[in-house]
Amino acid sequence: MEKIKGEVGLYQRKLANGDKTYYYTYKDTYGKTQKVKAGRYSEGYRIADARNQRLAAIAANKDKPEALLIKKKQQKDVITFQDLADRYYTDKKNMKSYQDSINKYNDKIKPVVNGGVKFCSFS
């Protein structure tokens, strides 16, 4: 199977009898890539038909409520460096040099990082 030049997510497979089969890919509501057979050239399918089927599949998945829930969940799963520092220091309140560590963090680390470093969720 080879990618069709100039097209996004469209592929063709040349068969032994000289026919072509068109495929398209898209991401479903769970973010997984799906590969779908659009049709054969001998059956009347062309690149434009595969492109239209792909766009229809993407549009159908975009409006599903599951897709919105997954997007919101992905946004919530982002943890910043500041979040990690807050969690660390709330657990270490009985530490002997607690205030000294917080001061070092605020003076040396926080200005450099400034909460801009993002991490994925740790589950």
Side-chain angles (χ1 to χ4, degrees):
M1 189 163 22
E2 61 186 38
K3 185 165 175 32
I4 298 174
K5 290 184 180 180
E7 298 289 339
V8 177
L10 297 180
Y11 300 87
Q12 71 180 1
R13 176 177 284 162
K14 294 182 181 176
L15 303 175
N17 63 2
D19 200 8
K20 299 176 192 174
T21 305
Y22 296 107
Y23 294 88
Y24 63 90
T25 59
Y26 70 97
K27 291 198 176 192
D28 63 4
T29 54
Y30 301 104
K32 293 190 177 184
T33 302
Q34 299 295 322
K35 187 187 308 180
V36 180
K37 178 181 173 183
R40 290 188 176 173
Y41 188 86
S42 62
E43 297 170 352
Y45 284 93
R46 302 295 184 258
I47 294 173
D49 298 323
R51 184 185 316 117
N52 291 337
Q53 287 180 14
R54 179 178 183 272
L55 293 175
I58 291 171
N61 280 331
K62 194 179 256 187
D63 297 333
K64 289 187 177 178
E66 296 95 16
L68 297 175
L69 290 175
I70 290 170
K71 279 185 180 180
K72 286 181 181 178
K73 184 179 178 187
Q74 288 173 346
Q75 289 173 352
K76 286 183 181 178
D77 287 347
V78 174
I79 298 173
T80 62
F81 194 82
Q82 182 65 41
D83 295 336
L84 291 175
D86 291 341
R87 286 183 188 178
Y88 176 78
Y89 286 118
T90 53
D91 290 343
K92 301 292 183 183
K93 285 194 176 182
N94 330 356
M95 190 167 65
K96 185 176 182 183
S97 59
Y98 173 74
Q99 192 59 42
D100 188 41
S101 294
I102 288 181
N103 290 340
K104 285 181 182 177
Y105 170 76
N106 288 333
D107 293 341
K108 306 215 183 245
I109 298 172
K110 191 174 180 181
V112 175
V113 176
N114 199 17
V117 177
K118 295 181 181 179
F119 299 94
C120 296
S121 67
F122 301 107
S123 302

